[in-house]
Amino acid sequence: MTHPLYQKINHALQMQQSQGLLRQRDVCHRAENSSLIDFSHNDYLGLANSIELTQALFDGAKTYGVGSKASPLVSGYSAAHVDLEQQLCRLTGHQAAMLFCSGYSANSALMSTLFTQADTVIADKLVHASIIDGIQHSGAKLVRFLHNDLSSAERLLAKHPNSVLVTESVFSMDGDKAPLAELSLLCKQHNALMIVDDAHGFATSRDFEATSRVADVQVVTFGKALGCQGAAVLAKQSVINYLVANARHYIYSTALSPANAYVAHSAIKLVQQQPERITRLHDNIHLFKELAQQSQLPLIASLSAIQPVIVGGNEQTLSLANMLAKLGFKVGAIRSPTVPKGSERLRITLSASHQPQQIHQLVSALKKLMIDCSGEKV
């Protein structure tokens, strides 16, 4: 007899398959060993395969070993972790930092530890799933303001003074930026704190203090612009002390490996030493937008490395992504319920490592496919 749990699993998988919602893993090959030009990753500065960080990982492993071997509160907290935390504080101006193995765990730990049922959290409608999960786990009251809508945020802040507002600096699915300075002013007027998830913004600009100047708490990740692994929460010393003492994700997990902390430290120094990487990234963003607009592709108003092309429909989006792959381009196919129904899109992410000719080729291929699929000019 089949166990009811397996019956439930099989039924769910069949339903997801029939609705075009079944998520599956694909083996990703290194760019130099693949015929695909990758426009799907978040390696915005092209550091993940750089010679410098490859060497840093080797040097970090030689110095500290490949694993931290314990949680940070047992014996997993090393000089490599301290050095990275101090570097992040110097860079951003925050008093203290603590490291996590991923941005998801950092956000989830932060929200679930800081808040209780007595708290109200005001969050942008499009904040990341890790933020929502953490708030829900805390039991706090969650209220949502319309995406990047200052009037909506102000109404909720006035209704819930002494609360906390949570937003992102750059939104992962739309690529647009939050009005951080304006939100910060509203928070001050209503005695609210502001938490900013800076995952997709950190290190994509030369102004490393831009977010920290307005955020009471800042979450940064190393797996995007820095091209490696891990994340950090940055805040006042008292906040970090409280999280270290109470965050279950931190207390009961093996620490980020010291070798990875060493690589992240090296990545930050590399970004400072090679600012031309940031310049190339922004040149590539400008080129893509210019070409896409000339080709009348249905873009969202984004100035970041994340450039969504709206398709609509899960099957159509996945089909376009597969056709692009056959032409040599890997792009993300983002479907509902990750994004609202009807706004399914190809999520194109740009990097300093992309060559102008590759961007020209992508836009040309995308324009032709969308014309072929629609039967008329986009």
Side-chain angles (χ1 to χ4, degrees):
M1 180 181 294
T2 304
H3 193 279
L5 179 61
Y6 291 132
Q7 293 176 347
K8 181 181 75 173
I9 289 171
N10 291 333
H11 176 71
L13 289 173
Q14 290 169 4
M15 288 294 294
Q16 290 174 327
Q17 180 75 56
S18 66
Q19 296 168 3
L21 299 177
L22 184 63
R23 296 181 175 96
Q24 295 175 292
R25 296 176 294 183
D26 291 320
V27 177
C28 183
H29 301 282
R30 286 171 60 98
E32 58 266 34
N33 296 327
S34 173
S35 60
L36 290 177
I37 301 171
D38 194 348
F39 283 93
S40 68
H41 61 68
N42 299 321
D43 182 23
Y44 301 132
L45 298 182
L47 294 177
N49 293 324
S50 66
I51 294 173
E52 294 91 340
L53 292 197
T54 301
Q55 184 63 47
L57 183 58
F58 178 67
D59 293 341
K62 280 199 305 180
T63 304
Y64 299 102
V66 296
S68 59
K69 299 181 287 188
S71 74
L73 298 188
V74 179
S75 57
Y77 188 56
S78 71
H81 299 107
V82 175
D83 289 345
L84 176 56
E85 289 174 352
Q86 291 178 345
Q87 181 194 37
L88 288 167
C89 290
R90 288 193 300 269
L91 196 66
T92 63
H94 286 286
Q95 290 181 358
M98 64 188 298
L99 305 178
F100 289 87
C101 293
S102 72
Y104 194 101
S105 61
N107 271 332
S108 185
L110 176 65
M111 304 300 159
S112 62
T113 307
L114 282 188
F115 305 125
T116 68
Q117 293 179 346
D119 297 304
T120 296
V121 183
I122 301 169
D124 187 287
K125 187 71 174 175
L126 298 186
V127 292
H128 194 266
S130 57
I131 295 172
I132 301 301
D133 289 352
I135 295 171
Q136 290 178 338
H137 186 260
S138 75
K141 180 179 181 180
L142 172 62
V143 293
R144 314 284 288 277
F145 64 92
L146 298 176
H147 177 54
N148 280 346
D149 189 314
L150 293 172
S151 297
S152 178
E154 185 172 22
R155 285 195 297 272
L156 290 177
L157 285 166
K159 186 177 180 180
H160 304 282
N162 307 312
S163 57
V164 177
L165 183 143
V166 184
T167 188
E168 299 183 25
S169 58
V170 176
F171 286 85
S172 60
M173 290 297 108
D174 285 4
D176 55 345
K177 299 179 181 181
L180 294 181
E182 293 85 351
L183 286 171
S184 176
L185 180 60
L186 289 177
C187 286
K188 288 180 171 61
Q189 292 171 354
H190 296 281
N191 196 37
L193 298 180
M194 188 164 82
I195 297 175
V196 178
D197 178 357
D198 199 22
H200 292 274
F202 186 68
T204 61
S205 162
R206 297 183 190 182
D207 186 0
F208 284 96
E209 295 184 11
T211 300
S212 60
R213 282 194 292 267
V214 294
D216 297 288
V217 182
Q218 180 180 2
V219 178
V220 301
T221 60
F222 314 141
K224 297 178 176 64
L226 296 185
C228 46
Q229 183 181 8
V233 175
L234 306 164
K236 286 186 175 181
Q237 186 68 61
S238 59
V239 174
I240 299 303
N241 289 347
Y242 180 79
L243 291 171
V244 168
N246 295 282
R248 294 172 70 86
H249 295 69
Y250 192 76
I251 296 168
Y252 298 112
S253 290
T254 300
L256 177 73
S257 78
N260 275 304
Y262 185 86
V263 173
H265 190 286
S266 301
I268 292 172
K269 290 194 292 186
L270 189 60
V271 173
Q272 293 176 302
Q273 293 165 0
Q274 299 179 358
E276 63 273 14
R277 288 181 180 270
I278 294 175
T279 300
R280 285 202 304 272
L281 170 64
H282 289 277
D283 286 346
N284 285 344
I285 294 169
H286 177 76
L287 175 61
F288 175 83
K289 286 185 66 66
E290 183 178 49
L291 295 173
Q293 287 165 358
Q294 290 172 2
S295 298
Q296 300 180 44
L297 298 182
L299 296 182
I300 288 178
S302 165
L303 298 176
S304 74
I306 301 166
Q307 293 292 321
V309 176
I310 301 300
V311 177
N314 286 335
E315 290 185 9
Q316 297 93 318
T317 302
L318 190 58
S319 176
L320 266 177
N322 289 335
M323 285 189 282
L324 280 170
K326 291 178 181 178
L327 294 175
F329 303 98
K330 181 173 177 59
V331 302
I334 309 301
R335 295 161 285 167
S336 61
T338 301
V339 294
K341 197 169 185 178
S343 70
E344 294 84 0
R345 77 279 308 263
L346 299 176
R347 182 180 181 270
I348 294 168
T349 52
L350 298 162
S351 168
S353 62
H354 287 131
Q355 299 302 311
Q357 185 60 29
Q358 295 174 329
I359 298 172
H360 277 271
Q361 292 168 347
L362 171 67
V363 173
S364 178
L366 185 54
K367 177 183 178 182
K368 183 180 185 304
L369 286 176
M370 295 192 78
I371 290 174
D372 291 345
C373 289
S374 66
E376 58 184 25
K377 190 174 182 179
V378 175

